[in-house]
Protein backbone atom coordinates (compact mmCIF):
# COMPACT_ATOMS: atom_id res chain seq x y z
CA UNK A 1 0.00 0.00 0.00
CA UNK A 2 1.14 3.55 -0.65
CA UNK A 3 1.90 5.77 2.26
CA UNK A 4 4.42 7.44 4.50
CA UNK A 5 6.49 5.46 6.94
CA UNK A 6 8.20 6.99 9.91
CA UNK A 7 10.56 5.00 12.04
CA UNK A 8 11.01 4.31 14.82
CA UNK A 9 7.74 5.10 16.58
CA UNK A 10 9.49 5.75 19.89
CA UNK A 11 13.09 6.89 20.29
CA UNK A 12 15.16 7.55 23.36
CA UNK A 13 18.50 9.34 23.30
CA UNK A 14 20.91 10.75 25.78
CA UNK A 15 21.35 14.48 25.97
CA UNK A 16 24.08 15.75 23.67
CA UNK A 17 23.71 12.99 21.08
CA UNK A 18 22.61 13.54 17.52
CA UNK A 19 19.72 11.39 16.35
CA UNK A 20 18.25 10.80 12.89
CA UNK A 21 14.55 10.21 12.27
CA UNK A 22 13.57 8.33 9.17
CA UNK A 23 10.76 9.25 6.75
CA UNK A 24 10.03 7.31 3.58
CA UNK A 25 7.15 7.72 1.12
CA UNK A 26 6.11 5.63 -1.88
CA UNK A 27 3.44 8.03 -3.12
CA UNK A 28 5.70 9.62 -5.73
CA UNK A 29 5.15 12.98 -4.06
CA UNK A 30 7.43 15.88 -4.92
CA UNK A 31 7.28 17.65 -1.58
CA UNK A 32 8.12 16.43 1.89
CA UNK A 33 7.89 18.14 5.27
CA UNK A 34 8.95 17.80 8.87
CA UNK A 35 6.87 19.16 11.74
CA UNK A 36 7.34 19.24 15.46
CA UNK A 37 4.49 19.02 17.96
CA UNK A 38 4.75 19.73 21.68
CA UNK A 39 2.06 18.61 24.15
CA UNK A 40 -1.19 20.51 23.69
CA UNK A 41 0.23 22.53 20.82
CA UNK A 42 -0.25 22.66 17.07
CA UNK A 43 2.32 21.57 14.52
CA UNK A 44 5.30 23.75 13.74
CA UNK A 45 7.20 23.47 10.47
CA UNK A 46 10.89 22.55 10.76
CA UNK A 47 11.99 22.00 7.17
CA UNK A 48 10.37 21.31 3.85
CA UNK A 49 11.57 20.17 0.45
CA UNK A 50 9.77 20.69 -2.83
CA UNK A 51 12.26 18.80 -4.98
CA UNK A 52 15.17 16.42 -4.67
CA UNK A 53 18.45 18.02 -3.54
CA UNK A 54 16.69 21.16 -2.36
CA UNK A 55 15.06 22.14 0.93
CA UNK A 56 14.03 25.24 2.84
CA UNK A 57 13.94 26.17 6.49
CA UNK A 58 10.60 26.35 8.19
CA UNK A 59 9.76 28.32 11.30
CA UNK A 60 11.91 26.40 13.79
CA UNK A 61 14.89 25.02 11.84
CA UNK A 62 17.57 25.83 14.42
CA UNK A 63 19.16 22.68 15.81
CA UNK A 64 17.88 20.47 12.99
CA UNK A 65 19.28 19.34 9.65
CA UNK A 66 17.79 17.47 6.69
CA UNK A 67 18.78 15.97 3.37
CA UNK A 68 16.81 15.07 0.25
CA UNK A 69 19.01 12.84 -1.86
CA UNK A 70 16.13 10.71 -3.06
CA UNK A 71 12.54 11.59 -3.85
CA UNK A 72 11.30 8.91 -1.47
CA UNK A 73 13.34 9.86 1.57
CA UNK A 74 13.63 12.93 3.79
CA UNK A 75 15.55 12.13 7.00
CA UNK A 76 15.66 14.62 9.87
CA UNK A 77 18.66 14.89 12.19
CA UNK A 78 18.09 16.37 15.61
CA UNK A 79 21.46 17.75 16.62
CA UNK A 80 22.89 18.46 20.03
CA UNK A 81 22.33 22.16 19.30
CA UNK A 82 18.56 21.69 19.65
CA UNK A 83 17.88 22.83 23.20
CA UNK A 84 14.56 21.07 23.76
CA UNK A 85 14.46 18.08 21.44
CA UNK A 86 11.87 16.02 23.31
CA UNK A 87 8.75 16.20 21.14
CA UNK A 88 6.48 14.40 18.68
CA UNK A 89 7.89 14.61 15.15
CA UNK A 90 5.69 14.29 12.10
CA UNK A 91 6.67 13.83 8.48
CA UNK A 92 4.37 14.59 5.55
CA UNK A 93 4.43 14.57 1.76
CA UNK A 94 2.33 16.13 -0.97
CA UNK A 95 2.06 16.77 -4.67
CA UNK A 96 2.02 20.28 -6.07
CA UNK A 97 -1.73 20.35 -6.40
CA UNK A 98 -3.15 18.31 -3.58
CA UNK A 99 -3.25 17.74 0.12
CA UNK A 100 -0.44 16.55 2.37
CA UNK A 101 -0.39 13.05 3.80
CA UNK A 102 1.15 12.49 7.20
CA UNK A 103 3.04 9.64 8.78
CA UNK A 104 2.19 8.33 12.23
CA UNK A 105 5.00 10.20 13.90
CA UNK A 106 8.09 9.53 16.01
CA UNK A 107 8.05 10.38 19.67
CA UNK A 108 11.55 11.42 20.70
CA UNK A 109 12.54 11.54 24.34
CA UNK A 110 15.91 12.88 25.37
CA UNK A 111 17.09 11.89 28.82
CA UNK B 1 0.95 33.14 4.81
CA UNK B 2 -2.56 33.96 5.97
CA UNK B 3 -3.45 32.97 9.49
CA UNK B 4 -6.61 31.32 10.70
CA UNK B 5 -8.70 31.70 13.83
CA UNK B 6 -10.68 28.84 15.30
CA UNK B 7 -12.54 28.37 18.59
CA UNK B 8 -10.41 26.36 21.01
CA UNK B 9 -13.06 23.76 21.74
CA UNK B 10 -16.60 22.62 21.04
CA UNK B 11 -18.84 19.77 22.01
CA UNK B 12 -21.21 17.87 19.78
CA UNK B 13 -23.83 15.20 20.44
CA UNK B 14 -23.41 11.91 18.66
CA UNK B 15 -25.54 11.72 15.53
CA UNK B 16 -25.90 15.47 15.22
CA UNK B 17 -24.14 17.70 12.71
CA UNK B 18 -20.96 19.42 13.88
CA UNK B 19 -20.29 22.85 12.38
CA UNK B 20 -16.72 24.02 12.84
CA UNK B 21 -16.02 27.66 12.01
CA UNK B 22 -12.77 29.17 10.78
CA UNK B 23 -11.86 32.77 10.10
CA UNK B 24 -9.17 33.58 7.51
CA UNK B 25 -9.80 37.26 6.83
CA UNK B 26 -6.38 37.88 5.22
CA UNK B 27 -6.54 34.99 2.78
CA UNK B 28 -4.98 35.66 -0.62
CA UNK B 29 -6.52 34.86 -3.96
CA UNK B 30 -4.23 31.91 -4.60
CA UNK B 31 -4.66 30.31 -1.19
CA UNK B 32 -6.73 27.22 -0.58
CA UNK B 33 -8.56 26.36 2.63
CA UNK B 34 -7.60 22.94 4.01
CA UNK B 35 -9.04 21.01 6.92
CA UNK B 36 -7.22 18.29 8.82
CA UNK B 37 -7.94 16.46 12.01
CA UNK B 38 -5.66 14.80 14.52
CA UNK B 39 -6.72 12.06 16.82
CA UNK B 40 -4.58 11.89 19.93
CA UNK B 41 -0.96 10.86 19.29
CA UNK B 42 -1.55 10.13 15.61
CA UNK B 43 -0.55 11.96 12.44
CA UNK B 44 -3.05 14.51 11.08
CA UNK B 45 -5.59 13.18 8.63
CA UNK B 46 -6.69 15.15 5.59
CA UNK B 47 -10.42 15.89 5.48
CA UNK B 48 -11.19 18.29 2.66
CA UNK B 49 -10.02 21.44 0.88
CA UNK B 50 -11.41 24.13 -1.39
CA UNK B 51 -10.66 27.40 -3.12
CA UNK B 52 -13.93 29.21 -3.77
CA UNK B 53 -16.74 26.73 -4.20
CA UNK B 54 -18.33 24.59 -1.57
CA UNK B 55 -16.95 21.07 -1.48
CA UNK B 56 -18.29 17.74 -0.24
CA UNK B 57 -16.73 14.33 0.14
CA UNK B 58 -17.46 11.18 2.08
CA UNK B 59 -16.15 12.69 5.31
CA UNK B 60 -17.43 16.24 5.39
CA UNK B 61 -18.66 19.36 3.63
CA UNK B 62 -16.78 22.63 3.34
CA UNK B 63 -18.68 25.88 3.03
CA UNK B 64 -16.60 28.92 2.03
CA UNK B 65 -18.17 32.37 2.20
CA UNK B 66 -18.37 34.40 -0.96
CA UNK B 67 -15.70 36.83 0.24
CA UNK B 68 -13.56 33.83 1.28
CA UNK B 69 -12.84 35.37 4.67
CA UNK B 70 -14.33 32.47 6.58
CA UNK B 71 -15.36 28.87 6.17
CA UNK B 72 -17.26 26.15 7.98
CA UNK B 73 -16.48 22.46 8.12
CA UNK B 74 -19.58 20.33 8.53
CA UNK B 75 -19.49 16.80 9.85
CA UNK B 76 -23.02 15.70 8.96
CA UNK B 77 -23.52 12.93 11.52
CA UNK B 78 -20.87 13.06 14.22
CA UNK B 79 -19.72 9.82 15.79
CA UNK B 80 -17.53 9.18 18.82
CA UNK B 81 -14.65 8.47 16.43
CA UNK B 82 -14.84 12.07 15.23
CA UNK B 83 -13.45 13.27 18.57
CA UNK B 84 -10.20 14.98 17.56
CA UNK B 85 -8.44 18.31 17.11
CA UNK B 86 -9.54 19.93 13.85
CA UNK B 87 -7.17 22.26 12.04
CA UNK B 88 -8.12 24.88 9.47
CA UNK B 89 -5.17 25.91 7.29
CA UNK B 90 -4.72 28.23 4.34
CA UNK B 91 -1.97 27.47 1.91
CA UNK B 92 -0.99 28.74 -1.51
CA UNK B 93 -1.62 26.58 -4.52
CA UNK B 94 1.14 25.26 -6.69
CA UNK B 95 2.73 27.07 -9.60
CA UNK B 96 1.99 30.49 -8.12
CA UNK B 97 4.56 30.88 -5.41
CA UNK B 98 7.70 29.24 -4.12
CA UNK B 99 5.98 28.64 -0.78
CA UNK B 100 3.37 26.29 -2.21
CA UNK B 101 2.28 23.52 0.06
CA UNK B 102 3.74 25.20 3.13
CA UNK B 103 1.15 24.27 5.70
CA UNK B 104 1.01 26.45 8.82
CA UNK B 105 -0.93 24.79 11.61
CA UNK B 106 -2.54 26.76 14.41
CA UNK B 107 -3.87 25.36 17.69
CA UNK B 108 -7.05 24.02 16.09
CA UNK B 109 -10.43 23.21 17.65
CA UNK B 110 -10.75 20.32 20.08
CA UNK B 111 -14.03 18.62 19.20
CA UNK B 112 -15.53 16.22 21.70
CA UNK B 113 -18.43 14.09 20.55
CA UNK B 114 -20.55 12.82 23.41
CA UNK B 115 -23.04 9.93 23.47
Amino acid sequence: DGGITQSPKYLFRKEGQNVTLSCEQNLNHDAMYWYRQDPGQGLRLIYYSQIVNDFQKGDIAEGYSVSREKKESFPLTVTSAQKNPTAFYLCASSTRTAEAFFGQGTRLTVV
Amino acid sequence: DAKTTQPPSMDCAEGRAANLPCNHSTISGNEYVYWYRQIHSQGPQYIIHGLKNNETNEMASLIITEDRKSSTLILPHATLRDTAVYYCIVSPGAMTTDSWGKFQFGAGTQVVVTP
Side-chain angles (χ1 to χ4, degrees), chain A residues 33 35 37 50 59 96 100, chain B residues 36 38 94 98 100-101 103-104:
Chain A
Y33 315 81
Y35 290 87
Q37 187 174 35
Q50 295 170 327
D59 300 316
R96 294 182 69 85
Chain B
Y36 284 80
Q38 186 178 26
D98 61 2
W100 65 268
F103 295 90
Q104 302 279 9

Side-chain angles (χ1 to χ4, degrees), chain B residues 61-78:
Chain B
S61 295
L62 173 61
I63 308 299
I64 303 174
T65 59
E66 192 169 344
D67 63 8
R68 302 208 326 121
K69 293 185 177 181
S70 66
S71 60
T72 301
L73 179 74
I74 301 172
L75 307 177
H77 304 287

Side-chain angles (χ1 to χ4, degrees), chain B residues 7-110:
Chain B
S9 64
M10 64 182 296
D11 295 333
C12 179
E14 188 177 20
R16 304 295 292 268
N19 296 303
L20 283 63
C22 180
N23 287 322
H24 31 79
S25 58
T26 59
I27 191 170
S28 300
N30 68 341
E31 290 182 314
Y32 289 74
V33 180
Y34 290 83
W35 282 85
Y36 284 80
R37 71 181 183 185
Q38 186 178 26
I39 297 170
H40 184 64
S41 295
Q42 296 183 19
Q45 176 190 22
Y46 166 79
I47 301 173
I48 198 167
H49 76 284
L51 183 63
K52 295 181 182 179
N53 301 321
N54 298 339
E55 302 287 344
T56 296
N57 63 20
E58 65 278 5
M59 290 183 68
S61 295
L62 173 61
I63 308 299
I64 303 174
T65 59
E66 192 169 344
D67 63 8
R68 302 208 326 121
K69 293 185 177 181
S70 66
S71 60
T72 301
L73 179 74
I74 301 172
L75 307 177
H77 304 287
T79 70
L80 299 180
R81 289 179 294 181
D82 292 323
T83 292
V85 177
Y86 286 76
Y87 296 100
C88 170
I89 302 155
V90 293
S91 181
M95 314 300 182
T96 58
T97 171
D98 61 2
S99 64
W100 65 268
K102 188 178 176 183
F103 295 90
Q104 302 279 9
F105 285 75
T109 296
Q110 172 67 64

Side-chain angles (χ1 to χ4, degrees), chain A residues 1 18 26 45 49 53 55 57-58 61 69 78 80 87 94 104:
Chain A
D1 287 349
N18 292 354
N26 60 4
L45 184 64
S49 168
N53 292 321
F55 47 83
K57 293 181 179 180
E69 297 177 0
V78 184
S80 56
S94 74
Q104 288 305 299

